[in-house]
């Protein structure tokens, strides 16, 4: 659980939703209404109903109106702010399915993603689950696992950076919930919109691929705080203070594969590599610690994310500062100290996780934690060196458990008229 992640962006205050489109009104037309419906109590018998939208409707201004473009340089779902709801799902190609079937599948998936991200129905068989909603910042992102290339006869096009991750001493991996031929990341600021996309992607897979594993996550809803701020994880810590920012001059070279990269195949131009880890938090043990002990494990103040060396959340950590006893203000094994890029040869990754809670175990322990997703131009220079160092002495390691893992090559965005992965599958 390395340190950075994107702050939640508040796209605007929420508005009431129009609960019914009525005959002949499309979802697209609904986006032009304000959701100005009012709850009214009928005078006779106190019946509950909804008033119709006024003739002079004002534009929708809720979270649901925000649309992310599908045809972009980098696939959506990488640099956008954290979304309130997420689904991660991996597929394996069906027996006998190869390059031709994979190309047809990616073509279907890309068209479905484009339509849903625009707030349109997925097709003629749309389930209407998200009928009343706008796009809600929906993003759908596609990637290829190591095994995909042998299944499709494209071994020569497999990037070296996609070699399997090394074993880490902190791993307790469930192989059935790890890896996969294909990976899809779905995020939205509305739970029904996200589920609608998940269901459409699953249906589109048809007989070409079957689900290998699927995980559900969440983050704080945009607008839930008085102002945009760094998100908190289930340990209560601000999580994402030192994430690389797109405004930084070297952001692209650290996160995305260059268009003229010598190490990567041409089809990966403008793409990135995603490391996906299900990290369980041992919350019962964590919550027994005092506030001071929790802060020493992380190296930051729980209230505001400031380093224990002083200042505010954004103040640079002073690794040499000592307290009155001569002890380091930020302990030598603090998580925030170990994960700093300047302590790891400049290793950088863009963290964009979701929290998860999958119920209570039979022994009463919550099955909860972090669906860790990090992006980098090269995992051998990004994730791997940081995780190796964490393995050697991170104070947080006794309170977390890595339970599943995957590494996926995520190609650049599809141009108009293209589908994601077309340059690989038809090149």
């Amino acid at each position: 659980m390395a340190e950075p992640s994107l702050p939640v962006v508040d796209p605007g205050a929420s508005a009431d939703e129009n609960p019914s489109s009525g005959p002949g009104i499309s979802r697209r037309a609904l986006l032009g209404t304000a959701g100005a419906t009012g709850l009214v109590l009928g005078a006779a018998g106190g019946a509950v109903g909804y008033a119709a939208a006024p003739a002079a409707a004002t534009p929708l201004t809720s979270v649901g109106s925000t649309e992310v473009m599908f045809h972009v340089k980098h696939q959506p779902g990488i640099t956008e702010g954290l979304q309130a709801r997420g689904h991660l799902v991996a597929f394996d190609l069906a027996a006998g399915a190869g390059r031709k079937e994979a190309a047809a599948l990616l073509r279907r998936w890309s068209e479905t993603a484009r339509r849903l991200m625009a707030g349109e129905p997925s097709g003629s068989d749309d389930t209407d689950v998200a009928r009343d909603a706008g796009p809600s910042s929906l993003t759908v992102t596609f990637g290829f696992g190591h095994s995909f290339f042998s299944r499709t006869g494209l071994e020569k096009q497999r990037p070296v950076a996609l070699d399997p991750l090394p074993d880490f001493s902190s791993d307790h991996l469930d192989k059935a919930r790890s890896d996969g031929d294909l990976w899809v990341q779905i995020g939205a600021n509305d739970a029904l919109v996200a589920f609608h996309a998940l269901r459409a992607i699953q249906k589109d897979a048809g007989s070409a691929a079957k689900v290998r594993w699927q995980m559900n996550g969440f983050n704080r809803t945009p607008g839930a705080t008085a102002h945009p701020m760094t998100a908190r994880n289930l340990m209560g810590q601000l999580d994402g203070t030192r994430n690389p920012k797109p405004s930084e001059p070297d952001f692209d070279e650290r996160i995305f594969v260059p268009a003229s990269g010598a190490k990567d195949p041409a089809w990966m131009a403008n793409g990135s590599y995603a490391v996906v880890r299900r990290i369980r938090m041992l919350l019962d043990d964590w919550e027994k610690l005092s506030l001071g002990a929790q802060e020493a494990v992380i190296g930051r103040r729980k209230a505001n994310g400031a380093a224990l060396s002083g200042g505010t959340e954004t103040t640079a950590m002073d690794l040499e500062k000592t307290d009155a006893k001569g002890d380091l203000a930020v302990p030598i094994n603090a998580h925030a100290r170990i994960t700093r890029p300047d302590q790891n040869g400049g290793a950088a990754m863009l963290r964009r996780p979701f929290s998860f809670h999958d119920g209570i175990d039979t022994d009463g322990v919550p099955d909860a934690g972090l669906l860790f997703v990090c992006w980098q131009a090269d995992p051998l220079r990004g994730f791997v060196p940081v995780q190796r160092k964490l393995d050697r002495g991170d104070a947080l390691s006794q309170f977390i458990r890595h339970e599943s893992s995957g590494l996926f090559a995520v190609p650049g965005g599809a141009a108009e008229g293209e589908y994601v992965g077309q340059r690989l599958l038809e090149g």
Side-chain angles (χ1 to χ4, degrees):
M1 213 173 56
E3 189 179 352
S5 192
L6 283 176
V8 172
V9 177
D10 180 359
S14 62
D16 297 333
E17 295 180 350
N18 186 339
S20 175
S21 65
I25 301 178
S26 68
R27 286 175 63 200
R28 182 60 83 178
L30 280 172
L31 300 187
T33 67
T37 56
L39 179 66
V40 296
L41 299 178
V48 178
Y50 286 89
T58 55
L60 182 70
T61 58
S62 72
V63 166
S65 66
T66 306
E67 178 180 350
V68 180
M69 296 295 105
F70 177 75
H71 292 295
V72 288
K73 180 179 180 180
H74 310 297
Q75 281 197 63
I78 302 177
T79 60
E80 287 77 20
L82 293 181
Q83 293 143 305
R85 178 65 61 174
H87 301 293
L88 308 180
V89 54
F91 293 82
D92 285 335
L93 291 172
R99 182 174 176 176
K100 178 181 177 181
E101 290 77 14
L105 174 57
L106 267 297
R107 188 180 295 110
R108 291 195 300 273
W109 274 352
S110 295
E111 176 59 14
T112 293
R114 183 197 65 78
R115 293 175 65 91
L116 294 180
M117 286 173 56
E120 301 171 2
S122 60
S124 59
D125 61 345
D126 189 271
T127 61
D128 283 341
V129 171
R131 181 182 180 88
D132 312 300
S136 300
S137 299
L138 175 68
T139 60
V140 187
T141 318
F142 303 103
F144 304 110
H146 184 274
S147 56
F148 177 83
F149 297 85
S150 58
R151 298 292 303 276
T152 54
L154 291 166
E155 292 97 331
K156 292 182 179 180
Q157 290 297 317
R158 182 168 55 212
V160 173
L162 200 58
D163 285 352
L165 295 173
D167 294 330
F168 300 106
S169 62
S170 58
D171 285 351
H172 296 78
L173 304 182
D174 177 357
K175 297 299 184 182
R177 291 195 296 180
S178 299
D179 304 317
D181 294 340
L182 294 156
W183 176 69
V184 185
Q185 173 191 255
I186 296 167
N189 283 333
D190 179 81
L192 284 179
V193 169
F195 174 83
H196 181 239
L198 174 66
R199 183 69 178 132
I201 290 295
Q202 181 191 357
K203 288 171 63 179
D204 275 351
S207 61
K210 60 181 180 179
V211 173
R212 177 179 176 88
W213 54 260
Q214 191 239 314
M215 301 173 188
N216 309 312
F218 58 90
N219 284 303
R220 176 173 279 157
T221 300
T225 55
H227 53 82
M229 60 180 294
T230 307
R232 290 188 184 273
N233 59 34
L234 298 189
M235 287 179 162
Q237 300 287 153
L238 290 182
D239 191 347
T241 298
R242 300 195 76 250
N243 232 6
K245 295 176 177 58
S247 59
E248 295 170 357
D250 60 348
F251 178 84
D252 277 9
E253 70 181 63
R254 293 192 292 172
I255 307 304
F256 295 110
V257 174
S260 58
K263 295 195 307 178
D264 292 89
W267 65 267
M268 270 297 290
N270 301 315
S272 188
Y273 292 93
V275 173
V276 182
R277 311 273 281 185
R278 185 184 193 270
I279 304 176
R280 185 164 178 173
M281 295 176 174
L282 308 182
L283 294 178
D284 283 356
D285 294 336
W286 174 256
E287 291 162 4
K288 290 175 183 175
L289 296 180
S290 67
L291 174 61
Q294 289 181 352
E295 292 180 338
V297 167
I298 301 300
R300 290 185 175 274
R301 300 293 179 198
K302 197 170 185 180
N304 60 6
L308 296 184
S309 56
T312 67
E313 182 186 356
T314 57
T315 301
M317 183 178 290
D318 184 348
L319 300 180
E320 304 303 322
K321 185 174 182 179
T322 57
D323 60 19
K325 298 179 181 179
D327 297 325
L328 288 169
V330 180
I332 197 69
N333 62 347
H335 184 75
R337 173 189 284 267
I338 293 175
T339 59
R340 287 173 57 94
D342 58 7
Q343 300 295 301
N344 294 279
M349 49 191 169
L350 175 67
R351 296 177 68 255
R352 199 173 180 276
F354 294 94
S355 293
F356 74 86
H357 178 224
D358 291 336
I360 308 296
D361 284 353
T362 55
D363 57 0
V365 175
D367 183 6
L370 195 72
L371 300 181
F372 175 91
V373 182
C374 74
W375 301 89
Q376 58 255 283
D378 183 353
L380 293 177
R381 293 188 296 112
F383 174 78
V384 171
V386 175
Q387 188 57 40
R388 279 178 170 158
K389 194 168 183 180
L390 289 171
D391 257 12
R392 294 196 293 268
D394 177 24
L396 185 61
S397 62
Q398 63 181 302
F399 302 102
I400 61 174
R401 186 164 62 226
H402 291 244
E403 296 186 333
S404 68
S405 178
L407 171 62
F408 302 95
V410 176
E416 293 279 354
E418 285 188 348
Y419 62 86
V420 174
Q422 183 169 336
R423 280 161 277 181
L424 166 65
L425 290 162
E426 298 186 18

